[in-house]
């Protein structure tokens, strides 16, 4: 018996000892990255095989917990490997692995530094320094580690290989600090020994004169990196940077131009001496002249960079700025002497003149153009050279720089006007377009003369639609000098309408007549008194005249009765083109705007108190829609408020249906009506969230509250009409997740939701998570009927995204004929207003008569930006279908794609895995689409193929 008891105890101990072993085996079922890599490297029979294994390993992601083991395996093989290419790849992998999220690279710093000691290959040494740079940027708070890396960089700066010196300079630029010295260097002199402290800037500046141009470039970039990190660069570096502007290598000159510009922004008012003279000059003026000289550089890349930087130097003196538009050298590059100075020199010379002319026998000095000069010769006519450059990139940069400087200096804007107008005749369309945009931006500072206007209006004949529309936009904001200019502009615009009828939308601009002076009289506009004016021309001129009357209060007194009737008609039908005028007894525009805003706010407050009166909601909804049509500046707010009231109207009707008091088998018809209302409420909430811009967090939270009510309504209907607990259970879990998401996203907005549906749900959340699905449905039904209407407070400005398809018009009865099975191209021309990120959200939908629907994604290059808040879409869609017996209509419209997770931070991919770069973004994140434009019907006729 005792033996049996001992045997049972032994078996129990054995079973307890085997439990950890079994658990360990279970943990090993997950493959280890380090073990797999070790096996692969052990199988390598040559450096080529090892390199192939490493390349294959680099294409696979590595978990954070496996990185340290992989690094140990790589380091072990690194010490054994004699081939430089394999060690180079291992060093590269160490840097990539150190960027893995969740991995602390400070544990491999010692090993990475130790690999430098015995490394003989310069290429591998440079790669190891690059790995240390990556590690250092991942550990900005580890002061001791950073100091060790800086010491390593200083130690290897004496290397003979340019790549090693480059990496060391990058380390100093990215990790160096100016508040702590690097190290103490000892200078052994005859009979004495001294030591001095070197800082990071002095060490980097020593390599401005390195024999290798790549090292000189790296030194300048390292200094610029210090500046980007917030460290102030010393002014003593300015002279060294100016010398590098004449370097033989393009990369050095390009970096030096950037360095000179940075110093001009740091020390604009500092005084620097002019070489070979006693004169002094402001540093910003001196650097401006030197950068102007680089506009004539031999490299077009340097010229582009110099021209761009000139546009940001707003502190330069006006006389230096104006000299850039004049090719004449200023005073032979010398400072003019005063009469007292000339008399003093004559007296000191001891010679006498004949008296016929002052100082006629004074000794004539020779002019040395490299001597005394207040401004470098390159600054004289710098912009003229830039605008006449052979490379269009330089010309565009010069035009943009002129725009930036002219915006801050009205006098300079007037002087550069002729040069910008001349660029309208450039041979490159992009240059012409940019010149028009630039002139539009400085239009408040300029007034076009008649000769300049002739050059501008000649561009209306351009075949490019973008050029013509940009010019129409320019004419909206440009002032002209005489009345004849107005007559000329109107004639050319009407010719433009005749030649290009599709331009009518851009010609009928609401502020196109802003360039008219207030002295214009109605009698001077002959079209207004013509016996049979063309309808389009007459409407266009009336739009211009009414816009002119907005800034000229004496014009409405000259209007005839039929002009007032036409104003009333156009004001109602083209309210976005015709402004509000103080005519007859109409109130001022400001009071109307105030009244409408007051009306919107009061309606919301009134509805909050009178929630049961659905008739008032219907009337208010109708009035708000009409208000948005009449008052364009309030259209976004009115439509937004009307859509929100529509949601409340649908919800109120749904909760008042008879199905809540009827048995389930008897409520099928009412159930379908309520289900449609719930689906419509969901659609309206997506419109409120994604179709309107300018919303604040409180408005978005209110929209999500209505969406939760619609989802709760759908959940209740599903539980009442469908059998199957499993499906209802899944929907309940999803609904509770949405409630938790609301609490997480809008925690700060919860005080504004007192007695609301979502507040009641959050109070009942512990009970909801524990109850059964049918009990949850009953609670939701009671809570939904007891929740109150949430007052929606309007933000300052709301814009509604919209789109208008210009082409095709849908008015043609001639079908597009093509062979069935093949394709036909349909040109789409549309304007987009207030659309956020149109390149990824705007889609084109083609709906065929048989119900087939195709969604086309326009290319990013199809979107143009003619003005702020407006986007132009010009693209082609390809239609194809089988043969039809007769022509049928195809419906074309624009859609706005949305995703509820678009505002949430997306999970980032592993940084070290470079093989994932360049992959296209997935379209699976799109949840739905919203109609952005009205549909346009196009006749097409697929014909059977001939045999």
């Amino acid at each position: 018996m005792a033996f049996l008891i001992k045997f049972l105890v032994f078996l129990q101990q054995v079973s307890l000892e085997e439990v950890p072993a079994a658990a360990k085996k279970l943990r090993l079922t997950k493959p280890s990255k380090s073990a797999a890599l070790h096996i692969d490297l052990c199988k390598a029979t040559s450096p080529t095989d090892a390199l192939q294994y490493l390349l294959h390993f680099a294409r696979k992601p590595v978990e954070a917990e496996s990185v340290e083991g992989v690094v140990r395996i790589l380091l072990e093989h690194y010490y054994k490997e004699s081939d430089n290419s394999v060690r180079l790849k291992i060093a590269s992998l160490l840097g990539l692995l150190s960027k893995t999220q969740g991995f602390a690279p400070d544990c491999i710093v010692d090993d990475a530094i130790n690999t430098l000691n015995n490394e003989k290959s310069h290429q591998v040494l440079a790669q190891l320094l690059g790995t240390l740079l990556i590690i250092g940027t991942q550990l900005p708070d580890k002061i001791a580690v950073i100091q060790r890396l800086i010491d390593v960089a200083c130690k290897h700066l004496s290397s003979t290989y340019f790549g090693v010196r480059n990496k060391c300079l990058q380390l100093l630029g990215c990790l160096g600090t100016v508040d702590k010295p690097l190290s103490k260097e000892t200078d052994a002199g005859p009979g004495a020994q001294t030591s001095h402290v070197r800082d990071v800037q002095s060490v980097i500046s020593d390599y401005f004169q390195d024999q290798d141009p790549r090292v000189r470039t790296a030194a300048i970039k390292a200094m610029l990196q210090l500046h980007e990190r917030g460290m102030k660069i010393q002014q003593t570096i300015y002279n060294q940077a100016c010398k590098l502007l004449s370097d033989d290598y393009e990369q050095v000159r390009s970096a030096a131009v950037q360095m000179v510009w940075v110093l001009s922004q740091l020390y604009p008012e500092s005084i620097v001496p002019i070489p070979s003279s006693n004169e002094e000059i402001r540093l910003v003026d001196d650097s401006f002249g030197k950068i102007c000289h680089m506009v004539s550089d031999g490299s077009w890349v340097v010229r582009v960079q110099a021209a761009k930087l000139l546009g940001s130097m707003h502190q330069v003196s006006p006389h230096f700025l104006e000299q850039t538009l004049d090719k004449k050298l200023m005073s032979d590059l010398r400072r003019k002497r005063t009469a007292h100075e000339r008399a003093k020199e004559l007296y000191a010379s001891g010679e006498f003149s004949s008296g016929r002319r002052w100082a006629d026998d004074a000794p004539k000095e020779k002019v040395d153009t490299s001597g005394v000069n207040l401004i470098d010769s390159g600054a004289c006519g710098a912009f003229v050279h830039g605008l006449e450059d052979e490379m269009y990139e330089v010309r565009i940069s010069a035009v943009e720089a002129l725009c930036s400087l002219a915006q801050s200096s009205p006098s300079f804007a007037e002087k550069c006007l002729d040069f910008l107008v001349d660029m309208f005749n450039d041979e490159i369309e992009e240059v012409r377009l940019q010149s028009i945009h630039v002139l539009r931006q400085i239009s408040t500072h300029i007034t076009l003369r008649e000769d300049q206007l002739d050059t501008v209006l000649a561009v209306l004949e351009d075949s490019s639609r973008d050029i013509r529309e940009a010019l129409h936009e320019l004419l909206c904001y440009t002032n002209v000098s005489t009345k004849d200019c107005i007559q000329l502009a109107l004639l050319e615009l009407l010719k433009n309408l005749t030649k290009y009828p599709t331009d009518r939308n851009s010609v009928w601009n609401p502020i196109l007549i802003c360039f008219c002076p207030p002295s214009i009289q109605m009698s001077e506009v002959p079209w207004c008194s013509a016996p049979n004016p063309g309808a389009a021309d007459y409407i266009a001129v009336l739009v211009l005249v009414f816009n002119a009357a907005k800034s000229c209060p004496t014009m409405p007194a000259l209007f005839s009765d039929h002009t007032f009737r036409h104003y009333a008609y156009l004001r109602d039908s083209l309210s976005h083109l015709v402004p509000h005028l103080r005519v007859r007894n109409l109130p001022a525009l400001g009071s109307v705007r105030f009244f409408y805003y007051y009306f919107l706010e009061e309606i919301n407050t009134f509805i909050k108190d009178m929630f049961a009166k659905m008739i008032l909601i219907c009337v208010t909804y109708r009035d708000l829609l009409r208000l948005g049509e009449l008052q364009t500046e309030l259209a976004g707010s009115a439509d937004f408020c009307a859509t929100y009231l529509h949601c409340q109207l649908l919800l109120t009707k749904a909760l008042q249906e008879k199905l809540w008091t009827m048995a389930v088998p008897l409520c099928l018809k009412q159930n379908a009506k309520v289900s449609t209302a719930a689906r419509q409420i969901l659609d309206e909430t997506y419109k409120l969230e994604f179709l309107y811009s300018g919303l604040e967090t409180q408005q978005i939270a209110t929209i999500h509250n209505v969406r939760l009510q619609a989802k709760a309504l759908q959940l209740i209907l599903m539980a009442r009409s469908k059998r199957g607990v499993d499906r209802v259970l899944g929907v309940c879990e999803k609904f509770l997740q949405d409630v938790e998401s609301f609490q997480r996203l809008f925690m700060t907005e919860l005080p504004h939701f007192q007695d609301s549906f979502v507040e009641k749900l959050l109070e009942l959340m512990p009970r909801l998570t524990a109850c059964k699905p049918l009990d949850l449905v009953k609670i939701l039904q009671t809570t939904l009927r007891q929740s109150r209407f949430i007052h929606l407070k309007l933000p300052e400005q709301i814009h509604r995204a919209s789109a208008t398809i210009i082409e095709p018009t849908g008015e043609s009865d001639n079908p597009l004929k093509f062979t069935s099975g093949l394709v036909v191209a349909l040109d789409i021309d549309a304007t987009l207003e207030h659309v956020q990120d149109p390149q990824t959200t705007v889609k084109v939908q083609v709906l065929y008569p048989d119900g087939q629907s195709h969604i086309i994604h326009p290319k990013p290059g199809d979107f143009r930006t003619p003005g702020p808040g407006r986007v132009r879409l010009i693209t082609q869609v390809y239609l194809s279908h089988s043969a039809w017996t007769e022509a049928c209509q195809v419906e074309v419209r624009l859609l706005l794609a949305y995703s509820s997770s678009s505002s949430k931070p997306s999970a980032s991919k592993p940084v070290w895995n470079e093989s994932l770069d360049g992959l296209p973004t997935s379209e699976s994140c799109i949840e739905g689409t919203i109609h952005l434009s009205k549909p346009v019907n196009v006749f097409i006729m697929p014909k059977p193929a001939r045999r």
Side-chain angles (χ1 to χ4, degrees):
M1 188 68 180
F3 173 80
L4 181 60
I5 294 174
K6 291 181 180 180
F7 181 77
L8 293 176
V9 172
F10 173 77
L11 291 178
Q12 184 178 5
Q13 292 177 353
V14 170
S15 61
L16 292 176
E17 291 176 357
E18 289 180 352
V19 171
K24 185 176 181 180
K25 290 181 180 179
L26 290 176
R27 286 197 297 268
L28 288 177
T29 55
K30 184 178 180 180
S32 173
K33 297 292 182 181
S34 58
L37 179 63
H38 178 68
I39 294 174
D40 289 340
L41 292 178
C42 290
K43 292 190 300 184
T45 57
S46 64
T48 303
D49 293 340
L51 189 60
Q52 290 295 329
Y53 287 132
L54 292 174
L55 292 174
H56 179 71
F57 172 76
R59 299 187 184 98
K60 299 180 179 180
V62 179
E63 296 80 6
E65 58 271 12
S66 303
V67 172
E68 186 173 358
V70 172
V71 170
R72 299 303 174 191
I73 297 298
L74 291 174
L75 289 173
E76 181 181 352
H77 191 79
Y78 176 88
Y79 292 121
K80 298 178 182 180
E81 184 60 51
S82 59
D83 187 79
N84 292 339
S85 61
V86 178
R87 296 204 311 277
L88 182 65
K89 184 59 182 178
I90 292 176
S92 175
L93 285 177
L94 291 177
L96 294 174
L97 288 170
S98 64
K99 295 190 292 185
T100 304
Q101 292 185 357
F103 172 70
D106 51 352
C107 61
I108 63 173
V109 172
D110 294 334
D111 295 316
I113 293 178
N114 292 334
T115 56
L116 296 170
N117 298 330
N118 300 324
E119 184 58 55
K120 303 300 181 183
S121 172
H122 294 302
Q123 290 84 358
V124 179
L125 189 60
Q127 185 61 57
L128 289 173
L129 289 170
T131 299
L132 292 178
L133 174 61
I134 296 174
I135 295 175
T137 55
Q138 302 293 321
L139 304 171
D141 300 330
K142 304 288 185 179
I143 306 301
V145 175
I146 297 298
Q147 189 61 41
R148 288 188 62 189
L149 297 180
I150 292 176
D151 294 339
V152 170
C154 294
K155 176 182 177 181
H156 291 85
L157 269 175
S158 58
S159 174
T160 58
Y161 181 58
F162 79 93
V164 176
R165 300 201 298 276
N166 283 355
K167 292 297 181 181
C168 292
L169 291 171
Q170 290 182 22
L171 267 169
L172 294 178
C174 295
L175 305 179
T177 57
V178 295
D179 53 348
K180 293 184 179 181
L182 294 183
S183 60
K184 290 185 177 181
E185 293 186 357
T186 302
D187 294 341
Q193 186 176 7
T194 61
S195 63
H196 62 277
V197 178
R198 304 293 307 280
D199 62 355
V200 63
Q201 294 194 31
S202 61
V203 172
I204 294 176
S205 61
D206 288 344
Y207 289 86
F208 283 3
Q209 307 299 328
D210 193 271
Q211 61 181 355
D212 195 298
R214 292 164 290 190
V215 179
R216 297 198 295 271
T217 305
I220 302 175
K221 291 183 177 180
M223 195 71 73
L224 292 173
Q225 184 67 28
L226 291 177
H227 169 71
E228 293 178 0
R229 293 171 52 211
M231 302 179 186
K232 193 171 184 179
I233 303 176
Q234 301 171 2
Q235 186 181 347
T236 55
I237 301 175
Y238 179 71
N239 292 331
Q240 295 176 281
C242 291
K243 293 179 181 178
L244 293 175
L245 292 175
S246 58
D247 196 274
D248 294 337
Y249 291 87
E250 170 188 327
Q251 295 84 357
V252 180
R253 297 196 304 274
S254 177
V257 169
Q258 183 72 21
M259 188 76 240
V260 170
W261 177 84
V262 167
L263 291 169
S264 70
Q265 304 302 307
L266 293 176
Y267 307 98
E269 301 299 330
S270 298
I271 303 300
V272 295
I274 298 177
S276 305
S277 79
N278 296 326
E279 298 294 332
E280 293 180 337
I281 192 175
R282 296 165 66 230
L283 190 144
V284 66
D285 294 334
D286 185 66
S287 60
F288 183 80
K290 288 180 168 58
I291 296 178
C292 282
H293 180 73
M294 303 306 294
V295 178
S296 302
D297 191 84
S299 170
W300 71 270
V301 177
V302 178
R303 298 199 300 271
V304 169
Q305 185 181 19
K308 288 182 178 179
L309 292 177
L310 287 178
S312 59
M313 303 183 72
H314 300 287
Q315 297 176 319
V316 67
S317 300
H319 60 280
F320 284 92
L321 187 61
E322 295 171 1
Q323 190 69 23
T324 58
L325 299 176
D326 190 0
K327 288 186 177 181
K328 297 179 181 179
L329 300 184
M330 186 173 62
S331 302
D332 294 330
L333 300 179
R334 296 180 302 166
R335 184 182 66 86
K336 289 185 177 181
R337 294 172 298 168
T338 64
H340 294 286
E341 291 175 339
R342 294 197 300 267
K344 182 178 180 181
E345 291 184 3
L346 180 64
Y347 176 79
S349 65
E351 299 181 3
F352 298 91
S353 65
S354 61
R356 296 180 181 177
R357 190 177 56 183
W358 177 261
D360 57 351
D361 57 350
K364 304 297 182 182
E365 58 179 341
K366 295 182 179 181
V367 177
D368 184 9
T369 57
S370 63
V372 180
N373 63 327
L374 290 182
I375 186 170
D376 201 316
S377 60
C380 299
F383 281 123
V384 180
H385 291 297
L387 296 175
E388 297 176 352
D389 197 275
E390 61 180 352
M391 303 296 294
Y392 80 94
E393 294 90 349
V394 181
R395 300 199 297 273
I396 290 179
S397 300
V399 167
E400 293 174 349
L402 277 176
C403 172
S404 179
L405 294 172
Q407 284 179 321
S408 58
S409 176
S411 61
F412 184 71
E414 288 289 343
K415 290 180 174 61
C416 68
L417 179 57
D418 286 328
F419 298 95
L420 291 176
V421 171
D422 288 341
M423 299 306 294
F424 284 22
N425 298 320
D426 195 272
E427 59 182 356
I428 302 298
E429 178 181 341
E430 188 176 352
V431 179
R432 301 197 303 272
L433 186 61
Q434 187 63 27
S435 302
I436 297 173
H437 289 323
V438 164
L439 210 60
R440 158 68 184 89
Q441 297 178 37
I442 64 173
S443 58
T444 56
H445 302 315
I446 61 175
T447 300
L448 290 178
R449 302 189 308 269
E450 189 170 353
D451 59 319
Q452 295 170 339
L453 185 62
D454 288 336
T455 305
V456 171
L457 294 177
V459 186
L460 289 173
E461 301 293 331
D462 199 294
S463 59
S464 172
R465 181 181 306 185
D466 295 336
I467 294 289
R468 298 195 307 271
E469 291 184 353
L471 189 61
H472 298 157
E473 185 78 12
L474 169 64
L475 293 177
C476 297
Y477 299 93
T478 304
N479 296 319
V480 292
S481 56
T482 63
K483 298 177 183 179
D484 294 336
C485 295
I486 302 172
Q487 186 82 3
L488 178 62
L490 290 175
L491 284 172
E492 293 299 327
L493 286 172
L494 293 176
K495 289 181 181 178
N496 185 202
L497 280 175
T498 303
K499 187 173 182 179
Y500 300 103
T502 57
D503 290 354
R504 59 183 179 273
N505 291 311
S506 60
V507 171
W508 290 357
N509 195 287
I511 48 176
L512 188 58
I513 204 62
C514 282
F515 59 86
C516 288
S519 57
I520 185 174
Q521 301 295 332
M522 288 294 296
S523 60
E524 297 174 356
V525 184
W527 298 277
C528 293
S529 58
N532 294 310
D537 294 351
Y538 182 66
I539 293 175
V541 173
L542 280 181
V543 170
L544 302 181
V545 171
F546 291 148
N547 279 275
K550 181 181 178 181
S551 58
C552 182
T554 60
M555 288 184 62
L558 303 175
F559 290 170
S560 59
D561 292 337
H562 71 275
T563 305
F564 282 111
R565 291 195 299 270
H566 294 166
Y567 168 76
Y569 170 76
L570 293 177
R571 174 63 182 157
D572 186 60
S573 59
L574 300 175
S575 58
H576 62 292
L577 300 178
V578 180
H580 184 87
L581 301 177
R582 187 187 294 272
V583 293
R584 300 295 168 92
N585 294 322
L586 293 178
L589 179 61
S591 61
V592 173
R593 181 183 292 111
F594 173 78
F595 169 75
Y596 283 151
Y597 273 118
Y598 177 78
F599 174 75
L600 292 177
E601 290 293 341
E602 288 301 316
I603 283 299
N604 269 320
T605 306
F606 189 64
I607 292 299
K608 178 181 64 175
D609 298 333
M610 307 292 293
F611 180 64
K613 296 189 177 181
M614 295 176 53
I615 298 178
L616 183 58
I617 299 180
C618 296
V619 173
T620 306
Y621 172 70
R622 181 199 62 190
D623 292 343
L624 286 173
L625 291 178
R626 184 56 180 163
L627 172 62
E629 297 175 358
L630 295 179
Q631 202 72 21
T632 55
E633 55 267 33
L634 295 176
S637 301
D639 293 344
F640 180 81
C641 190
T643 306
Y644 179 72
L645 289 180
H646 189 216
C647 292
Q648 298 297 333
L649 180 63
L650 292 174
L651 185 61
T652 304
K653 288 182 177 180
L655 294 177
Q656 290 183 352
E657 290 293 341
K658 298 180 180 179
L659 67 94
W660 309 110
T661 58
M662 296 174 59
V664 174
L666 302 178
C667 63
L668 297 179
K669 183 177 180 180
Q670 287 81 1
N671 191 10
K673 293 172 57 178
V674 176
S675 178
T676 303
R679 180 68 256 178
Q680 192 172 358
I681 294 173
L682 279 179
D683 294 339
E684 296 287 359
T685 58
Y686 286 119
K687 290 180 182 180
L688 288 173
E689 184 175 1
F690 298 103
L691 204 59
Y692 296 87
S693 58
L695 302 181
E696 300 173 357
T697 308
Q698 184 176 352
Q699 286 82 43
I700 297 177
T702 307
I703 295 170
H704 278 252
N705 176 66
V706 179
R707 188 175 301 162
L708 283 177
Q709 290 177 299
K711 290 183 177 180
L713 189 60
Q714 287 183 331
L715 178 57
I716 297 171
L717 294 175
M718 179 182 295
R720 289 174 59 89
S721 60
K722 292 189 177 181
R723 299 177 181 178
V725 181
D726 296 337
R727 183 171 181 180
V728 176
L729 179 62
V731 178
C732 290
E733 293 178 354
K734 180 65 172 62
F735 180 80
L736 293 179
Q737 292 176 1
D738 293 338
V739 177
E740 293 177 353
S741 177
F742 182 94
Q743 183 180 16
R744 185 175 61 256
L745 294 176
F746 306 108
M747 179 66 69
T748 58
E749 303 297 331
L750 290 179
H752 301 285
F753 290 87
Q754 297 180 0
D755 297 332
S756 65
F757 176 72
V758 68
E759 186 190 44
K760 295 179 182 297
L761 288 183
L762 293 177
E763 293 176 355
L764 299 172
M765 199 63 185
R767 180 183 173 187
L768 296 177
T769 54
C771 66
K772 297 180 180 180
L774 295 181
D775 296 334
L776 173 63
V777 170
K778 293 179 181 179
I779 296 174
L780 288 180
Q781 181 176 345
T782 304
T783 306
L784 192 62
R785 302 191 68 179
Q786 293 179 353
S787 58
R788 72 176 184 88
F789 176 84
I790 297 299
H791 171 55
L792 179 64
K793 184 179 179 180
L794 294 178
E796 293 294 332
Q797 188 72 27
I798 298 180
H799 296 290
R800 186 182 190 275
S802 61
T804 303
I805 299 179
I806 303 174
E807 293 291 339
T809 59
E811 300 174 354
S812 176
D813 295 333
N814 297 324
L816 295 175
K817 297 181 180 181
F818 62 97
T819 303
S820 63
L822 301 181
V823 296
V824 60
L826 179 65
D827 293 327
I828 302 293
D829 182 5
T831 57
L832 312 176
E833 299 282 346
H834 305 293
V835 178
Q836 303 292 328
D837 194 14
Q839 296 183 359
T840 57
T841 58
V842 175
K843 314 297 179 185
V844 181
Q845 182 190 43
V846 179
L847 183 62
Y848 292 94
D850 59 353
Q852 295 184 26
S853 177
H854 294 169
I855 295 181
I856 296 93
H857 311 283
K859 297 179 294 184
D862 295 338
F863 295 90
R864 290 89 184 270
T865 308
R870 295 194 298 115
V871 178
R872 189 72 176 273
L873 173 61
I874 301 177
T875 186
Q876 280 187 337
V877 297
Y878 297 99
L879 309 179
S880 179
H881 210 279
S882 57
W884 297 350
T885 56
E886 60 182 13
C888 294
Q889 289 183 345
V890 172
E891 187 177 281
V892 180
R893 75 188 320 155
L894 297 183
L895 303 178
L896 181 70
Y898 65 86
S899 172
S900 299
S901 60
S902 58
S903 58
K904 301 178 183 178
S906 58
S908 57
K909 66 179 181 63
V911 181
W912 76 278
N913 193 353
E914 296 180 345
S915 62
L916 297 179
D917 294 340
L919 294 179
T921 57
S922 175
E923 296 289 341
S924 59
C925 60
I926 297 178
E927 294 183 6
T929 55
I930 303 172
H931 291 172
L932 193 59
S933 69
K934 295 180 179 180
V936 175
N937 295 324
V938 179
F939 273 100
I940 65 172
M941 180 61 186
K943 300 181 299 182
R946 295 182 179 178
R947 297 181 179 178

